[in-house]
Amino acid sequence: MQNARHYCWILAGLLAACSNNDDDDDFIGNWIERSELAGKPRSEAVAFVINDTAYVGTGFDGTDYRRDFWKYANNGGWITQIAELPAAAAARSSAVAFVIDNIAYVGTGFDRYNELNDFWAYSPATGQWVEKARLVDPNPSIDLSRKDAVSFVLKGKGYIACGNDGGALKDVWMYDPAADKWTSKNTFGGAKRTDAVAFVIGERAYICTGTNNSELKNDMWEYNPDTDIWTEKRKISDATDEDFDNDYDVPRSGAVGFVLNNKGYVATGTKGGLSLQTWEYNAVDDTWTRRTDFEGPARTAAVAFVLGGKAYVCAGRTSSLPLDDLYQFDPLAAYDEND
């Protein structure tokens, strides 16, 4: 992938230059390139973490939809391939994944022809995938199949929200692993959207970014699972408070979201062009701070995971070229242009 990487760097510089004129020395945080994904380059994959191991799989490699998964160990690099999604599960991109009690759940997505509603559970103890309840409405005439949704876990329950079934969505569903059952929850408080990000800080979930009708969304919402209520937070651009969001430039689609040290992060994605910007969210005072720009090729449709107090951004695509590189982010480290 060396030649492809050189191409990506050139293209990333052209696309990201207009929105990244500030010197990286002005920001805190450092990105370091790590070993490439052991499998094929891909975009719109999923990633999840169980104990000290991350897993990356599914996605679209530019030609084929994928069903393979690969393990990445903290300080150990890429280890090996695990069991693929079984033959009964379509190869897919644009799915969601979450982990409850050391079991990973992967579902929904797109198989080239259709949006999907099936879910599959993976246990490292058995090394096998088992089919779970599909995301279905009690009314069988309502199809909940979708792609490009977001997911999160709160208090031992999995959630899926928003996405795209030919048009943007805003419904919310909760999965109970003990009952193997989906339950409808209060509709997402903001506008319908697809290609958004979600992350959890403490006992609250947050959804922001994404797009609907080609318009980037600039609202952000907090979810309380105890009350099933969505509460709007400050806008992430377009000033409503001159002391805060007048300086923000967070809206985008196809970004990654992750949490480190009780702070939320949004990085990469597209907003007219591919973006390198990294933003940090402080839930205590509901403010955003810009951190060091992503130091790999600008991209969209990547995945992110957290291991050992560091975040990792992997794969995605630059223009139409799928990627297989991996970058580690330390939000507390000083920027080092030579590492």
Side-chain angles (χ1 to χ4, degrees):
M1 289 296 296
Q2 193 65 35
N3 290 335
R5 181 165 290 105
H6 287 164
Y7 167 80
C8 289
W9 273 109
I10 293 170
L11 183 58
L14 292 174
L15 291 172
C18 293
S19 60
N20 294 280
N21 293 326
D22 298 301
D23 291 334
D24 283 324
D25 297 317
D26 294 338
F27 306 117
I28 301 299
N30 194 49
W31 295 90
I32 301 174
E33 187 173 11
R34 297 304 188 191
S35 58
E36 298 168 349
L37 174 68
K40 282 193 173 184
R42 67 196 66 199
S43 63
E44 300 181 80
V46 297
F48 55 85
V49 173
I50 299 176
N51 296 322
D52 60 353
T53 303
Y55 301 77
V56 175
T58 67
F60 181 61
D61 67 14
T63 302
D64 296 318
Y65 288 79
R66 310 295 308 176
R67 63 174 71 247
D68 56 329
F69 279 84
W70 299 82
K71 295 169 62 174
Y72 184 87
N74 188 29
N75 299 320
W78 296 101
I79 305 172
T80 186
Q81 185 177 358
I82 67 167
E84 297 183 343
L85 284 176
R92 70 194 64 200
S93 70
S94 310
V96 298
F98 53 84
V99 174
I100 302 173
D101 294 332
N102 293 329
I103 303 294
Y105 298 85
V106 174
T108 66
F110 183 69
D111 69 357
R112 191 188 301 269
Y113 304 106
N114 301 292
E115 287 81 31
L116 306 170
N117 68 355
D118 57 336
F119 267 83
W120 298 81
Y122 175 78
S123 168
T126 65
Q128 301 296 317
W129 292 92
V130 177
E131 187 170 14
K132 293 296 182 178
R134 290 175 176 261
L135 179 62
V136 295
D137 191 280
N139 181 345
S141 67
I142 299 176
D143 184 5
L144 299 181
S145 301
R146 68 194 62 205
K147 62 184 178 181
D148 296 320
V150 296
S151 63
F152 53 88
V153 173
L154 286 169
K155 297 190 172 184
K157 304 293 192 298
Y159 292 80
I160 183 170
C162 303
N164 182 355
D165 66 353
L169 302 166
K170 60 181 295 182
D171 53 340
V172 180
W173 294 82
M174 183 188 77
Y175 178 71
D176 181 347
D180 189 27
K181 180 181 179 181
W182 292 93
T183 302
S184 177
K185 306 302 288 184
N186 269 341
T187 300
F188 173 63
K192 296 186 292 186
R193 68 196 61 205
T194 185
D195 289 309
V197 300
F199 51 79
V200 171
I201 301 175
E203 295 184 347
R204 300 289 185 269
Y206 299 84
I207 294 179
C208 64
T209 71
T211 184
N212 184 26
N213 296 321
S214 300
E215 177 184 62
L216 294 177
K217 310 311 294 182
N218 75 339
D219 52 342
M220 180 171 182
W221 293 78
E222 176 189 82
Y223 179 69
N224 182 337
D226 295 327
T227 61
D228 191 25
I229 290 175
W230 292 90
T231 302
E232 187 170 13
K233 312 304 284 185
R234 284 194 180 97
K235 301 292 187 185
I236 58 178
S237 76
D238 295 337
T240 54
D241 184 332
E242 292 182 0
D243 293 331
F244 294 100
D245 51 5
N246 189 43
D247 296 325
Y248 297 165
D249 191 20
V250 184
R252 63 198 64 200
S253 67
V256 296
F258 53 88
V259 172
L260 281 170
N261 306 318
N262 290 317
K263 304 287 179 62
Y265 292 84
V266 172
T268 67
T270 181
K271 49 180 179 177
L274 297 177
S275 178
L276 297 171
Q277 290 184 3
T278 302
W279 288 86
E280 176 188 273
Y281 178 68
N282 186 336
V284 175
D285 57 10
D286 190 21
T287 58
W288 292 86
T289 303
R290 189 166 166 192
R291 296 306 186 192
T292 301
D293 288 353
F294 180 70
E295 294 184 59
R299 69 195 59 203
T300 188
V303 295
F305 57 86
V306 173
L307 279 177
K310 305 292 191 300
Y312 295 80
V313 173
C314 182
R317 65 176 181 270
T318 295
S319 184
S320 60
L321 182 70
L323 303 173
D324 61 1
D325 51 355
L326 176 72
Y327 285 81
Q328 180 193 81
F329 179 62
D330 184 344
L332 303 180
Y335 168 65
D336 182 353
E337 64 181 352
N338 298 314
D339 61 13

